[in-house]
C-alpha cells in the first residue's frame, strides 16, 4: 500500500468518526428530550471523541510524510485542525487506554441490561 492509499483510508476513518460523533450527539439529544439518563451516552461520546482525535492525529502524520497531491485536497482550515490534533493526546499508549475504557463501559452497559427489570404492564 502506498502512502496515498493510507491517506485516503485515514481520511475515510476521520469522516466516519465525524459521522459517529454526530449520531451520538443526536442520541443524547433524544435521550434528554425524553428525560432519560445520559451519563453512559456521554461517557461513550468522550471515547468516540478521543478515538477521533487519534484518527486525526494519524492522518496528520501521514499528510506530513506525504509530498503528493492528496494532502493538498484539504483546505487550510482542515489542515490546521489536523495539526492541532497533535496537542490533544499526551498519553503514551492512548489506543490501549481507549480500548480498555471502552471494554469497561460496554461491560457496565451489558450488566445494566442484564439486570434491568422489565416494567410492569403491557409492552407495546
Amino acid at each position: 500500500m502506498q502512502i496515498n492509499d493510507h491517506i485516503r483510508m485515514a481520511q475515510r476513518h476521520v469522516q466516519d468518526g465525524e459521522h459517529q460523533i454526530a449520531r451520538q450527539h443526536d442520541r443524547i439529544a433524544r435521550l434528554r428530550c425524553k428525560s432519560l439518563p445520559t451519563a453512559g451516552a456521554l461517557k461513550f461520546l468522550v471515547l468516540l471523541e478521543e478515538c477521533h482525535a487519534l484518527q486525526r492525529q494519524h492522518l496528520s502524520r501521514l499528510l506530513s510524510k506525504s509530498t503528493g497531491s492528496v494532502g493538498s485536497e484539504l483546505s487550510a482550515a482542515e489542515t490546521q485542525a489536523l495539526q492541532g490534533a497533535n496537542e490533544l493526546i499526551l498519553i503514551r499508549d492512548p489506543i490501549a487506554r481507549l480500548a480498555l475504557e471502552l471494554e469497561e463501559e460496554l461491560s457496565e452497559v451489558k450488566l445494566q441490561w442484564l439486570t434491568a427489570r422489565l416494567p410492569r404492564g403491557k409492552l407495546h
Side-chain angles (χ1 to χ4, degrees):
M1 228 177 179
Q2 294 182 356
I3 187 82
N4 291 342
D5 296 327
H6 286 285
I7 290 171
R8 281 191 286 277
M9 185 174 19
Q11 287 172 328
R12 283 192 307 272
H13 290 165
V14 168
Q15 287 177 337
D16 289 344
E18 290 168 358
H19 292 298
Q20 294 298 326
I21 289 170
R23 288 177 61 196
Q24 189 66 11
H25 278 287
D26 290 342
R27 289 181 184 115
I28 291 168
R30 281 185 275 144
L31 288 171
R32 286 184 176 150
C33 285
K34 295 178 181 181
S35 298
L36 294 171
T38 59
L42 288 168
K43 284 182 184 178
F44 187 64
L45 176 62
V46 168
L47 290 174
L48 285 175
E49 289 172 339
E50 289 178 2
C51 260
H52 184 63
L54 289 173
Q55 291 166 335
R56 289 176 49 194
Q57 184 180 26
H58 177 64
L59 177 57
S60 179
R61 280 194 305 268
L62 289 173
L63 290 172
S64 68
K65 288 181 184 179
S66 172
T67 57
S69 63
V70 176
S72 64
E73 293 175 6
L74 293 176
S75 70
E78 289 171 323
T79 304
Q80 185 179 8
L82 290 172
Q83 290 169 349
N86 291 334
E87 300 168 4
L88 296 176
I89 304 298
L90 300 173
I91 301 167
R92 285 190 178 179
D93 195 355
I95 293 174
R97 182 186 59 76
L98 285 173
L100 291 172
E101 286 180 14
L102 183 57
E103 182 179 14
E104 185 178 300
E105 291 293 324
L106 289 174
S107 296
E108 288 177 25
V109 169
K110 284 180 187 177
L111 182 61
Q112 289 174 359
W113 277 94
L114 292 173
T115 59
R117 293 184 180 206
L118 293 175
R120 293 187 181 197
K122 292 184 180 180
L123 296 176
H124 298 280

